[in-house]
């Protein structure tokens, strides 16, 4: 299930709008506010486990598009409406998030003190009618794949040695976690093969509260990749990846992919 939300932006009389370079973090907070306002019980079930944060895999992925985007120091400048793409395999999540985001009670919403958004339009996106064993995808947001080395997480890219093995471990873990929510304790049906077509390294400035608390640093740097690539595997697995995203931090605005038609 997929949907697109288009937001008009109010930023004084300036035609050029601006947000912090870690703008994805602002949309994490926005989505949480929307869900908790619409269905607090469901929000708590998704993000909390008793009195602790629930770190279980979230069954969705999103990507934020800022048109005519340019970076300037720690700001991102853009002109036009903000587009939020959202995808999930979970019906309960989709109903709650879609209804929460179209609620007039949510708007206007302040992303920052100087940037306010209001929903202009929302609509459903048609998914492919059929998934095959080999499909070509393109990224709407950077894909982050990491491997553990001791206590550290090290980014690994498509042209690095051992990438496909790490990729399969990550996908198997995430798919199993999401399928468990549907009562299916099942990972990948078949190993995934990855063929890069036109991919490049991307370094992103990001911000989350846990990183700030643990390190005292405001900004974290994430290394991922974007572009066009081919995946081969079981059609049901490819559909799951398409609907819920690829890689880590999917619920933080990373790993959103689209089928190349």
């Amino acid at each position: 299930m997929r949907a697109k939300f288009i937001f008009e932006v109010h930023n004084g009389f300036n035609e050029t709008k601006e947000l912090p370079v870690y703008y994805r973090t602002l949309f994490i907070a926005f989505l949480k506010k929307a869900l908790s306002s619409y269905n607090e019980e469901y929000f708590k079930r998704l993000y909390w486990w008793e009195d602790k944060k629930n770190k279980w895999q979230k069954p969705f992925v999103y990507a934020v598009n800022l048109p005519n985007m340019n970076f300037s120091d720690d700001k991102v400048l853009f002109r036009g409406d903000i587009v939020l793409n959202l995808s999930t395999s979970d019906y309960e999540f989709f109903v709650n998030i879609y209804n929460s985001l179209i609620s007039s009670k949510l708007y206007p919403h302040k992303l920052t003190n100087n940037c306010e958004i209001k929903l202009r339009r929302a609509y459903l996106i048609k998914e492919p009618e059929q998934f095959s064993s080999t499909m070509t995808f393109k990224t709407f947001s950077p894909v982050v794949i990491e491997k553990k080395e001791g206590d550290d997480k090290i980014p690994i890219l498509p042209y690095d040695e051992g990438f496909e093995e790490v990729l399969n471990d990550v996908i198997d873990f995430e798919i199993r976690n999401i399928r468990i929510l549907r009562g299916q304790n099942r990972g990948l049906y078949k190993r995934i093969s990855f063929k890069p077509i036109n991919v490049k390294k991307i370094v992103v400035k990001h911000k989350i509260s846990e990183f700030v608390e643990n390190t005292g640093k405001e900004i974290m740097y994430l290394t991922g990749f974007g572009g066009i690539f081919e995946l081969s595997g079981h059609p049901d697995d490819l559909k799951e990846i398409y609907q819920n995203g690829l890689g880590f931090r999917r619920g933080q605005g990373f790993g959103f992919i689209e089928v190349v038609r």
Side-chain angles (χ1 to χ4, degrees), residues 203-217:
V203 178
V204 176
K205 291 182 179 180
H206 192 46
K207 181 179 180 179
I208 56 172
S209 58
E210 186 177 2
F211 177 81
V212 175
E213 292 167 4
N214 291 339
T215 67
K217 299 177 182 178

Side-chain angles (χ1 to χ4, degrees), residues 9-180:
V9 184
H10 300 281
N11 187 17
F13 296 101
N14 296 327
E15 187 175 348
T16 300
K17 318 296 195 270
E18 69 175 50
L19 287 172
V21 71
Y22 52 84
Y23 62 90
R24 293 176 181 85
T25 304
L26 305 179
F27 281 87
I28 299 172
F30 173 53
L31 293 175
K32 288 182 176 180
K33 177 186 175 182
L35 271 179
S36 62
S37 298
Y38 179 75
N39 187 338
E40 187 175 5
E41 185 276 330
Y42 178 74
F43 168 77
K44 288 181 177 178
R45 179 153 45 95
L46 189 66
Y47 282 99
W48 292 90
W49 178 258
E50 297 179 347
D51 60 342
K52 297 180 180 179
K53 290 182 179 180
N54 183 359
K55 295 187 177 181
W56 196 265
Q57 297 293 313
K58 305 299 185 287
F60 75 97
V61 63
Y62 75 89
V64 178
N65 176 250
L66 305 177
N68 305 300
M69 182 171 64
N70 285 294
F71 291 97
S72 176
D73 297 326
D74 287 333
K75 298 177 182 178
V76 56
L77 309 177
F78 64 99
R79 301 172 69 180
D81 294 337
I82 294 175
V83 179
L84 172 67
N85 294 283
L86 195 142
S87 179
T88 181
S89 64
D90 189 283
Y91 180 76
E92 183 180 15
F93 174 81
F94 188 77
V95 168
N96 277 282
I97 194 64
Y98 188 88
N99 288 336
S100 68
L101 288 174
I102 64 173
S103 172
S104 59
K105 296 178 181 178
L106 188 62
Y107 306 102
H109 172 79
K110 278 193 171 186
L111 288 174
T112 68
N113 290 333
N114 300 316
C115 187
E116 191 174 83
I117 60 172
K118 187 175 181 181
L119 183 66
R120 183 189 295 276
R121 184 183 175 201
Y123 55 94
L124 304 181
I125 301 296
K126 185 178 181 180
E127 296 184 339
E129 294 181 1
Q130 191 172 13
F131 285 78
S132 60
S133 58
T134 298
M135 300 181 72
T136 302
F137 298 92
K138 61 181 178 181
T139 57
F140 271 17
S141 59
V143 174
V144 177
I145 304 293
E146 296 173 331
K147 63 178 180 179
K148 289 205 73 175
E149 288 190 0
D151 294 330
D152 298 325
K153 289 183 178 180
I154 308 299
I156 186 168
L157 298 172
Y159 295 108
D160 292 339
E161 184 179 351
F163 170 79
E164 198 168 280
E165 182 179 350
V166 175
L167 177 71
N168 273 268
D169 289 343
V170 170
I171 295 175
D172 182 77
F173 174 78
E174 294 183 340
I175 282 183
R176 183 181 300 276
N177 273 256
I178 290 171
R179 285 176 175 162
I180 284 175

Side-chain angles (χ1 to χ4, degrees), residues 232-247:
S232 297
H234 193 286
D236 288 349
D237 292 336
L238 298 190
K239 182 178 181 179
E240 199 87 55
I241 295 167
Y242 166 83
Q243 290 182 324
N244 296 305
L246 177 63

